[in-house]
Amino acid sequence: MASRDVVLGIFFLSQTVVGALGNSSLLLHFLVLDFTRCRVRHTDLILKHLIVANMLSLLCKGVPQSVAAFNLKFYLGDFECKLLFYLHRVGRGVSIVTTCFLSVFQAITISPIESWWAELKVKAPRYIGSSMYLSWVLNLLINIIILMYITGKRNNTTMTNLKDFGYCFSVCHNTATESLHATLLTFPDAVCVGLMLWANSSVVLILYRHKQRMQPIHKTSFPRSSPESRATKTILLLVSTFVFIYTLSCILQVCLSVVHNPNRFLVNMAAIVSGCFPVVSPFLLLLPAGWPGSSGR
């Protein structure tokens, strides 16, 4: 076994373990809050769905990818391969939709009373649960297209017609069909990223205007950095990290879809990047809990 394979296997394994521990710890934290009936925020329900989606995406990709990276040659059957890739895509899709919804909900929450979002501030919490379940249903339907491509090793199929992912294969179709399918799968992600950028830009603008109004008070009470300034930096860090990871992931996923015979470097890079957000999100996505205007139930 080459040393680079060992390093890659250790990296995949570490990424999976750290991400699983981080997300499971947060889920346990929320379950304890529910059990003790402590006062929680409306966004906690969104974060619970996000944690489950992250765990699903991370484990369905990270565990088999870790084994494959150690050159432990194993190939799953059709059903196992289709199930793993399908659940990974569903988890990934729900993760980005949930993060988008979290950003929009926070923008509505901290909006001024006189804004055109004022009515939504009262109605939005009622639709959190139904919106989360709807995102699961939609992603379960959208990603059915994955079942057309993924397969286990087939003795009656020539290797030239298959893309090797180390433990499963993807059946190659013509370039036009694969490009169309890649566009259909990527379009919802692009819409969510656009909505999140718009929502967080609104948050930054609201905080900036509030800072301007409260500037005389901040000069005496907060000589170094106002709460609005710190919150703005937090939002910018969250958005820039999310957009960078998912933009890079989408690009790599499109490349995997349209390239007829991708090399191992491209396959491994796509797997690494797809696991980055589920790993860092337990830390980044808890930062908005401290935004000004977060409300309890």
Side-chain angles (χ1 to χ4, degrees), residues 238-291:
L238 174 68
V239 176
S240 60
T241 303
F242 181 90
V243 172
F244 174 76
I245 292 176
Y246 263 105
T247 300
L248 183 58
S249 179
C250 288
I251 293 174
L252 292 174
Q253 291 297 329
V254 170
C255 290
L256 282 178
S257 299
V258 299
V259 175
H260 182 73
N261 188 24
N263 55 38
R264 297 304 304 167
F265 176 79
L266 179 59
V267 172
N268 290 329
M269 280 301 299
I272 290 173
V273 174
S274 67
C276 285
F277 187 72
V279 173
V280 301
S281 61
F283 310 100
L284 290 180
L285 290 177
L286 281 181
L287 295 178
W291 291 356

Side-chain angles (χ1 to χ4, degrees), residues 23 34 41 47 73 105 113 207 275 281:
N23 284 283
D34 290 340
R41 289 177 292 269
L47 291 174
K73 295 297 183 181
F105 182 80
I113 299 178
L207 293 176
S281 61

Side-chain angles (χ1 to χ4, degrees), residues 14-28:
S14 301
Q15 187 184 52
T16 304
V17 171
V18 172
L21 289 176
N23 284 283
S24 59
S25 298
L26 284 178
L27 183 59
L28 179 61

Side-chain angles (χ1 to χ4, degrees), residues 45 49 101 124-137:
L45 179 59
H49 284 268
F101 189 78
R126 305 174 189 171
Y127 301 104
I128 291 178
S130 58
S131 298
M132 292 298 96
Y133 292 116
L134 180 61
S135 69
W136 283 98
V137 172

